[in-house]
Every structure is written in structure tokens, then in C-alpha cells.
Amino acid sequence: MRFKAIVEQPASLIRMLTSLSHMTKDCLVILGDESWKFMINEKFVATAHPQCYATVPIAYAFSHYMIESQSDNEILLQINIKNLLAAFRSVQGFSGGMTILKLTKKNNIALLSFEMWQDDGNELKVNVIQDVSVKPIQHSKLYLYEEPALGEYHGSAILPKLKSIKTVIERMRIIISNSNSSERANLYINNNDGRLLLETKTDH
């Protein structure tokens, strides 16, 4: 399997990884043709069993993106979130060149290697290399991490007659217009009993 890309805009990945880092230490990252997918389930969290599934499209972060594998061009990697986050933050702080990200191996350890290249006026040279160790996961084990199938969500509400709502709103508008302060009307829906509440407050 092979992977190589130029990191163009790490900001979206930094925001994603920052959020994920508050949930657990490691996560599964699926490198694919069109996106990076991040998966967290009970495999990574011993208590509470949170689940999180997020996606970042390739075009948001990378250019010159190349990936090859025998599993539908998908590569599964278990990664320490904070280490990956630190690497993308280093890329964001690096100026004056480009960063090439590739999947490689050193001393039989699989790595995502961030090569930060800089132009000294004569040629491009590697200025910094930051490696993040990863654990490849067999594609046949993907079923252990996949997002559970959920039925389509349907939400609906039965409102009172629109004429009665209009009457209330017109009265509220009069109250607000007669007030010297910049008041607003608020709409609340109580999730417990389904009540609809229209409210405005003025100073007397």
C-alpha cells in the first residue's frame, strides 16, 4: 500500500483532531480516495463507550493526493490523536515551503512522515521531518469499527391554528414597538412536553 500527498490546508484537520482529542487517546483513521474518515468506538474507550464518526474531504486539506491499496484504495491506521494533531500544527506553523505527507516505514515501524521542504533560493531542501507512528489495521477488521446503521430521522410538529399564532405575534409586536429598549421575542419548544412558548420581556 502507498500514500503520498501535499498538505495544503491543515486547519480543518486540526479542528477535527482537537475535538477528537477530548474523547480518547487513539482513533481509527481511514485514508481513502475522497476523504479521511475518523472513527471512535468502544475499541478505544474503556468507559462510557462514546461513538464518533467524522469525515474530512481530501480537497479540504490536500493536493497531489495519491493512494494505492488492494482494499478499494483504503488504508486503515490506528493513530494517537495528539501526536497527529501536533504534526499538523507544526505544518500550519511552517512557512516558506511545502509539506509532503507520506506513509513509510523506518526500523519496521509504520509511520506517517511529514516532510517540510523549504526553498533556499537555489533548491528545495528538507527542513524538518516529523514522524507519527501508526498501526496498520487489516481491512477485513473494518466491521469492528464501522458506524452503526441507523434509521432515517423524522421530526414533525403539530402547530396550533396559524391565525391564533398570528394574533399573539401581533400583540407582542405592539408591546415591543412601544418599548424604548431593543427587545426581542423568543420562541421556545419544550422537548419534554412539546409545548410551544412565545415570549417577550420589557422593562417597566
Side-chain angles (χ1 to χ4, degrees):
M1 55 188 180
R2 299 179 181 178
F3 164 71
K4 186 177 182 180
I6 294 177
V7 183
E8 296 284 359
Q9 300 290 338
S12 56
L13 285 164
I14 289 173
R15 289 193 295 270
M16 178 76 70
L17 292 166
T18 299
S19 299
L20 297 179
S21 67
H22 297 297
M23 297 182 64
T24 185
K25 178 181 176 182
D26 297 338
C27 74
L28 180 74
V29 181
I30 301 178
L31 283 57
D33 277 331
E34 299 180 352
S35 65
W36 275 27
K37 299 177 182 178
F38 299 85
M39 298 184 175
I40 294 174
N41 62 10
E42 64 273 7
K43 295 290 181 184
F44 302 104
V45 187
T47 59
H49 304 304
Q51 295 187 41
C52 180
Y53 304 89
T55 302
V56 174
I58 296 304
Y60 282 22
F62 304 103
S63 67
H64 299 83
Y65 189 91
M66 296 179 291
I67 187 169
E68 294 179 8
S69 82
Q70 295 180 350
S71 303
D72 299 323
N73 284 338
E74 287 186 340
I75 299 175
L76 280 59
L77 302 173
Q78 182 176 330
I79 299 180
N80 180 282
I81 297 172
K82 290 187 176 180
N83 291 346
L84 186 60
L85 174 59
F88 278 113
R89 282 178 172 166
S90 296
V91 173
Q92 188 177 50
F94 179 69
S95 60
M98 67 175 180
T99 299
I100 297 176
L101 173 60
K102 59 185 180 180
L103 182 63
T104 185
K105 184 179 287 188
K106 296 178 182 179
N107 299 321
N108 291 321
I109 298 175
L111 303 167
L112 278 177
S113 184
F114 293 76
E115 296 180 353
M116 302 175 208
W117 293 70
Q118 195 160 26
D119 190 348
D120 63 1
N122 297 315
E123 61 180 347
L124 281 172
K125 293 184 177 180
V126 178
N127 186 285
V128 178
I129 297 178
Q130 188 165 343
D131 294 330
V132 178
S133 61
V134 299
K135 178 183 177 182
I137 302 295
Q138 293 180 1
H139 200 273
S140 60
K141 299 292 182 65
L142 179 58
Y143 73 95
L144 296 173
Y145 305 91
E146 284 184 330
E147 183 175 359
L150 300 174
E152 291 187 12
Y153 174 77
H154 173 72
S156 61
I158 300 176
L159 295 174
K161 292 182 180 180
L162 296 181
K163 184 176 180 180
S164 62
I165 295 179
K166 180 181 178 182
T167 302
V168 174
I169 292 175
E170 285 296 327
R171 291 176 180 174
M172 292 173 66
R173 184 182 63 80
I174 294 173
I175 295 173
I176 294 173
S177 62
N178 290 335
S179 173
N180 294 326
S181 60
S182 57
E183 298 293 342
R184 294 182 181 180
N186 298 313
L187 169 65
Y188 302 99
I189 298 179
N190 191 315
N191 290 330
N192 295 322
D193 57 18
R195 288 188 300 171
L196 178 71
L197 173 65
L198 293 165
E199 176 187 77
T200 186
K201 295 180 180 179
T202 58
D203 297 327
H204 296 286

